[in-house]
Amino acid sequence: MVHRFWQVEEPDTATFHDDGRYEAVYSAERYRDTTGLYVVSMPLKPLHRNEPFPGSRQINTLRFQNLERKLQADNVLYTAYKQFMSEYESLGHMSIAADAGTYYIPNHQVFNADSKKRVVFEASAKASSLLSLNQCLHTVPKLQLDILDILTRFRLHRFVFTANVCKMYWKILMRPEYRSFQHMFRCSSPLEALKEYRLNTVTYGVNCALFLA
């Protein structure tokens, strides 16, 4: 009976949806660069590998202009946003794009429960074709335990530790051939012309980010 109890308690093995097709791609295309960082691929469905996402650039331009007007009304928020983006660029997580992108990811700023400001990327934004980047990606398994399971395990021990992995996504690079699906706009001030950037790392807001990181 005890043996059967532990069999029930063992977590399920992560399984891939879409017939496991991305698992083979992930294993074949993942590698580590000369600095030791992992470089991964984006789990695009074969049908959408050449998806043009018409209108994505224009839609993102309008959304950035709306965001900029909103931020200008709150100097504290605007300063925090610019600081975040400056750090993002200085750390190499985004860089000036040499070519036009395929998909443009809108972003906006939010407050979390601790009143900390952070920028959120929205890969569920649809292009004129009514398709978003997230819709064109394979469904990948959830590797994290449910919060109920985590809380239950906490009750089994007298002492427990919690930790937060800082900037986890920024440590996983996206393969260069997939970065055209991660373009965005930015400018340092309203007087400056819009600059087009590409995101070089795994981006939160893309539905496969938790799996890739």
Side-chain angles (χ1 to χ4, degrees), residues 161-210:
F161 294 90
T162 62
N164 182 33
V165 181
C166 181
K167 300 174 182 175
M168 174 176 68
Y169 299 112
W170 296 8
K171 299 299 182 182
I172 312 294
L173 296 172
M174 184 61 64
R175 288 180 66 108
E177 61 266 35
Y178 292 98
R179 294 177 189 176
S180 68
F181 295 98
Q182 296 190 154
H183 276 226
M184 59 164 285
F185 291 111
R186 174 185 172 236
C187 63
S188 299
S189 77
L191 302 177
E192 183 181 284
L194 276 182
K195 294 179 181 178
E196 184 170 333
Y197 287 81
R198 67 175 189 177
L199 304 176
N200 301 320
T201 55
V202 169
T203 302
Y204 47 91
V206 179
N207 62 13
C208 58
L210 272 175

Side-chain angles (χ1 to χ4, degrees), residues 13 28 62 70-71 103 109 136 139 142 174-175 177 198-199 203 210:
T13 302
L62 291 174
K70 178 181 177 181
L71 291 174
Y103 181 82
Q109 192 160 35
C136 297
T139 302
K142 185 186 75 170
M174 184 61 64
R175 288 180 66 108
E177 61 266 35
R198 67 175 189 177
L199 304 176
T203 302
L210 272 175

